[in-house]
Structure formats: C-alpha cells, structure tokens
C-alpha cells in the first residue's frame, strides 16, 4: 500500500487553482458528477474527505482526504463512469477542467501534477490488485488496513462490514464471519461495529 501522499505537490497545485475555482455548498451524501452540462470539471477537496464511486455498480474505488484534486487523473475516461460522494464537513470547490489544464501549463506545474497522478494511479492499482486474485480472508485483511489508513472521522462514521462490502464483491455473511474470528482472536478491536485497532493480523487464518 502506498502511504506517502505528495502533499507539497498537491498543495502547490491547489494554491494556483483555488483562486480560479468556485466554492460548492455541499451536504453529507451529496453526489458530484464530473460533467456540468457539456463541460468537464475538476474538484478541489479543500477540507474533509470524499468517496469515489463507480457508477455502474456503486462500488467504492477510492476514498481521499484533503488536500486533493479530482478530475485531472480521469480526463480520458467516460465522464459518467465515476462520481464523488461528499462526507460530512467537507469543503469543495470546482473549476472547468480545460481552465485547470491551462493554468498547469502556464505555471509549468507538470512535475507537481505528475507526482499527484503517480499517487492516484498507484492507489487505484493497489486496490484492484489486492481484490482480484486473493482469498476472501486476504481481501478483508487488506481492507481492514485500508480502513485504518482513513481519517478518524471517516472510520467512526462507517461500520467495518459496510466499508468492506462497498469495496469488494464479498457477501455480508462471509465478511462478518471473518471479522468475528479476528475479533475473537484479539487480532482486531471493534466497538459497535467500528474498527478501533489492528493487532498483528496473521497472513493466514
């Protein structure tokens, strides 16, 4: 799992793009689409966190906390393939993708953009690789570590079962069975379904 977020590069991009962006009035659970009319947009996550969903089946592909920029790494995908869902307390602004690209070119921000795209691509690749050829147990363990990497606000707002279900094709019953085994063995600590700690999960069970 990649854990080193290129904060300096993202903050540099944000510093140039934010003055040309418009603040969105957002509410928890609100859905943001990349297209506004016929014009693609990018979103600047200035505070809080959001989830990135695949529209066709509602699977969560990624979650990200501020600062972050959505839309730059998906310029060649179908605009209605993905959507963003707002978490509580998030602050988001937006600007047309074409304008963002012009600013990046004018200010020679290609290196900063490249590091952010490398981070984005690595996270998505890591997610796909970890859920495509592993056992159910290994997939769930990977998702538990991903959950612990999330912000405390997000961890406390979603049950462990729901988090894993939203990101995999595993059934609720299989997830709950393995979580119960890990909890009984004191490999994880959960309170009211919320993951609180991971205590050296075995690679096989």
């Amino acid at each position: 799992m990649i854990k080193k977020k290129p904060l300096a590069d993202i903050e540099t991009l944000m510093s140039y793009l934010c003055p040309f962006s418009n603040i969105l009035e957002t509410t928890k659970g609100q859905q943001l689409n990349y297209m506004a009319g016929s014009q693609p947009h990018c979103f600047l996550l200035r505070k809080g966190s959001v989830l990135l969903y695949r529209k066709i089946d509602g699977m969560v592909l990624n979650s990200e906390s501020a600062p972050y920029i959505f839309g730059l790494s998906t310029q060649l995908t179908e605009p209605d393939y993905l959507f963003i869902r707002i978490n509580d307390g998030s602050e988001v602004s937006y600007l047309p993708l074409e304008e963002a690209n012009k600013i990046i070119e004018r200010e020679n921000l290609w290196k900063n953009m490249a590091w952010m795209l490398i981070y984005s691509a690595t996270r998505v690749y890591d997610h796909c690789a970890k859920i495509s050829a592993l056992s159910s147990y290994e997939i769930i363990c990977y998702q538990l570590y991903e959950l612990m990497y999330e912000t405390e606000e997000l961890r406390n707002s979603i049950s462990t079962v729901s988090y894993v279900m939203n990101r995999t094709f595993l059934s609720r019953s299989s997830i709950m069975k393995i979580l119960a085994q890990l909890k009984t063995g004191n490999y994880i600590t959960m309170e009211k379904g919320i993951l609180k700690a991971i205590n050296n999960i075995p690679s096989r069970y």
Side-chain angles (χ1 to χ4, degrees), residues 6-205:
L7 287 173
D9 295 289
I10 295 173
E11 288 169 351
T12 296
L13 289 167
M14 296 277 283
S15 69
Y16 282 96
L17 297 179
C18 279
F20 299 92
S21 67
N22 300 292
I23 296 289
L24 276 172
E25 295 292 334
T26 60
T27 57
K28 183 178 180 179
Q30 180 178 343
Q31 178 177 316
L32 301 179
N33 297 307
Y34 287 101
M35 290 295 290
S38 60
Q39 191 175 40
H41 283 78
C42 65
F43 297 96
L44 312 179
L45 181 58
R46 305 158 73 121
K47 180 182 177 182
S49 61
V50 299
L51 300 173
L52 181 66
Y53 283 80
R54 187 167 60 195
K55 187 172 290 187
I56 190 172
D57 57 7
M59 175 176 280
V60 176
L61 296 181
N62 195 9
S63 56
E64 195 57 71
S65 57
Y68 195 70
I69 304 170
F70 289 90
L72 294 178
S73 61
T74 55
Q75 300 192 41
L76 300 182
T77 63
E78 291 294 328
D80 60 350
Y81 185 70
L82 304 169
F83 68 89
I84 297 167
R85 193 176 296 281
I86 300 294
N87 286 330
D88 196 22
S90 296
E91 183 179 305
V92 179
S93 61
Y94 72 96
L95 75 161
L97 180 58
E98 182 179 4
E99 184 175 356
N101 285 332
K102 287 180 179 179
I103 294 170
I104 290 169
E105 181 175 8
R106 182 175 68 239
E107 303 296 339
N108 194 28
L109 300 171
W110 298 114
K111 183 177 180 180
N112 307 102
M113 183 176 176
W115 278 114
M116 194 193 78
L117 296 184
I118 290 169
Y119 168 77
S120 303
T122 303
R123 287 206 68 191
V124 173
Y125 172 81
D126 194 55
H127 171 82
C128 294
K130 292 289 176 56
I131 69 169
S132 61
L134 300 176
S135 68
S136 296
Y137 174 79
E138 291 169 319
I139 292 172
I140 290 171
C141 291
Y142 167 73
Q143 292 300 325
L144 291 176
Y145 282 110
E146 284 292 289
L147 179 53
M148 284 304 299
Y149 176 59
E150 303 286 4
T151 62
E152 185 177 359
E153 179 185 29
L154 178 58
R155 289 201 312 272
N156 291 331
S157 67
I158 187 170
S159 71
T160 309
V161 174
S162 295
Y163 184 90
V164 177
M165 280 187 66
N166 289 341
R167 291 160 174 77
T168 68
F169 295 107
L170 300 176
S171 67
R172 174 179 289 272
S173 59
S174 63
I175 296 170
M176 292 185 68
K177 179 181 178 181
I178 291 175
L179 290 179
Q181 292 171 343
L182 291 173
K183 186 177 180 181
T184 300
N186 292 321
Y187 298 115
I188 61 173
T189 302
M190 293 174 57
E191 295 179 8
K192 297 181 180 179
I194 304 297
L195 182 66
K196 295 298 183 179
I198 293 177
N199 310 313
N200 193 24
I201 297 177
S203 59
R204 295 287 187 275
Y205 198 82

